[in-house]
Amino acid sequence: MSSNEKLSIGQKKKLDRKLAKLQHVLKKESGATSSPNPTKNLAICNAGLVSGLTEEIIYEHFSQLGNLTDITLLPGKSCSFLSYDSLESSIKAYETFNGKLNIAQDNKAIYLLYVDQIPYLNDQRIWGELPPGLILLEDFISIEEENMLLNLCSFDAQPMKHRLVKHFGYEFRYDINNVDKDKPMSETLPVETNFLWSKLQQKFKPDQLTINHYTPGQGIPHHIDTHSAFEDPIICLSLSSPIIMEFKNNDKHLCFLLPQRSLLIMSEESRYDWTHGIVPRKFDIIPNNSGQGFTCLKRGTRVSFTFRKVLQGSCQCNYKSKCDSYNDIEDNVALELEAMHVHKVYNNIADHFSDTRHKPWPNVLEFVQSFAYGDILIDVGCGNGKYLGINQKIFTIGCDRSMGLIDICRQRQYEGFIGDCLSVPLKNSSADGAISIAVIHHLATEQRRLKALREMVRVLKPGGRALVYVWAHNQINNEKKSSYIMQDRKNRKVTQMDKLVTGQVDVPLQNGNVTLPVHNNRSNFQAKDVLVPWKLKDKNETTFLRFYHVFEENELEQMCQKIDNIQILKSYYDQGNWCVIFGKI
Ligand SMILES: O=C(O)CCC(=O)C(=O)O
Ligand SMILES: [Fe+2]
Ligand SMILES: [Zn+2]
């Protein structure tokens, strides 16, 4: 039946009977009371969110008959509501669509009733309030400047499911929600955007720009821009059409209008703790200034420029529960994690690992050779013993957690025993020197790493010296890539496993799971606690994941400062490692 056909008397009676029944259903379902006389408010009695109805579909049809002022869908209900600004439009919609329009998933016609009031949606949406730390600067640029920036957008954009995007400076990868920090793009930020920063007294110097292009009906899902990817703040310039942006944090839900030509500065809490998003729809329902009723605002095409500064290192925010740089690994979890992703792995890869470790690093060699005839040096975490035989004048003993690696040391006629760096089986003050090269970064908590340092101090004689190497989070120092990154073999084929293991993995443990990112080998680290793949050269290319805590600049020094009876003699960066030489007082 087409919607403008008049109903026969029989059909009218049938419709009335149906509506009389639905009154009760509606009351029970939503609490709304139907009105015998026409009102500006209509209930769709038999279709709602559960039957696949959306605000969008309602808007699409009902806005053809007048100005809508509200659309309300109740979660989990099979009824919905709408309001017009005039009684006339509401009557027109009632007569045109009742028992005729087919818009729900069940392929049945919808039934309409007038209601006195639309039920209050139990949603804590607050209008116009901004989250803490957020600044909105209206009329930030002129119409001429807006046009100039819009002219920059005639490019080939990347089509996303819900919008078009284009990146400058660094590509934002939606698969890892991060940028490749060591792969800047050749296309840097357009110089035409530089004038913006003089308006902010040059306080902000972005190196990454994402342009989002939204046609009506498109949006962006709720998200927090990855903490470890960008510094604070994040700045969005809105062009071409206003839009409603939403911020959520726990049960708080704030909505406000981003006017055309406004600048949004997301900082601190609003940047780190709240999600932001734009609901994909063709209109926005905005409360009237008077505080009474709503207005449906038709969306136009909106273009936004999001400016960010790529963060080198890891995030130091105080919003740990939302922070990908922070891992709250508990002690009992740490034990299991190390057992599985350090000890077991080194036993399994011992031979292959040893084959790749021949050449002593020059600075370590120099340190070991600085000891005098007859001195005792302990190598905590000696691996295959590559530093054990390099100074014939001294007595060097190795100690490692891995039986496989100690076996290799013995085959090479070195002195080595199985021992844990957290309780080295040596007497207090028994060694003149100690080295720990690439060991304590395998411990999963700061407490345990500190304990390992204290253990080295304990076995040292007063006046003794120790050298510690740990992997650095930042593999590029003074714009020089470490050899670890440089080893990117030209024809290294990307295997299925490489693809499979990048991203986050759940490590199932008896004492609670931890989720850790798997590091993409030979690239800069994206997080402080990571699993680093080791691929065996067997037929199956079996891959093992080793746990690492990679160190920030000064992190190792700061730990040393917590130990009373030592003095830092030297600290430096060496090939992707942070290094400290300390002396026991
Ligand atoms: O379009 C906007 O204003 C926001 C874009 C955004 O949140 C993002 O790209 O992360
Ligand atoms: Fe964002
Ligand atoms: Zn953070």
Side-chain angles (χ1 to χ4, degrees), residues 289-306:
N289 279 340
S290 61
Q292 288 189 329
F294 291 82
T295 306
C296 271
L297 193 79
K298 221 172 154 165
R299 281 190 188 170
T301 292
R302 172 175 177 268
V303 175
S304 69
F305 282 46
T306 302

Side-chain angles (χ1 to χ4, degrees), residues 20 37 82 90 96 107 130 132 156 173 192 203-204 284 299 309 328 335 349 382 384 416 507 536 540:
N37 302 315
L82 55 115
S90 165
T96 314
N107 280 326
L130 306 181
D156 293 328
R173 287 182 47 192
E192 290 89 339
K203 281 191 190 125
F204 183 64
D284 283 307
R299 281 190 188 170
K309 181 145 177 36
D328 194 10
L335 273 176
I349 67 172
C382 64
N384 67 352
V507 182
L536 278 189
N540 306 324

Side-chain angles (χ1 to χ4, degrees), residues 227-228 272 315-320 322-326:
H227 284 203
S228 67
Y272 289 122
C315 181
Q316 306 288 332
C317 76
N318 290 319
Y319 304 91
K320 308 256 152 99
K322 313 278 171 73
C323 187
D324 62 310
S325 286
Y326 184 79

Side-chain angles (χ1 to χ4, degrees), residues 544-561:
F544 293 92
L545 297 172
R546 290 171 298 161
F547 172 84
Y548 276 86
H549 170 85
V550 289
F551 280 64
E552 295 304 327
E553 182 162 11
N554 296 323
E555 189 177 337
L556 186 58
E557 283 96 320
Q558 278 164 14
M559 281 172 68
C560 289
Q561 279 151 12

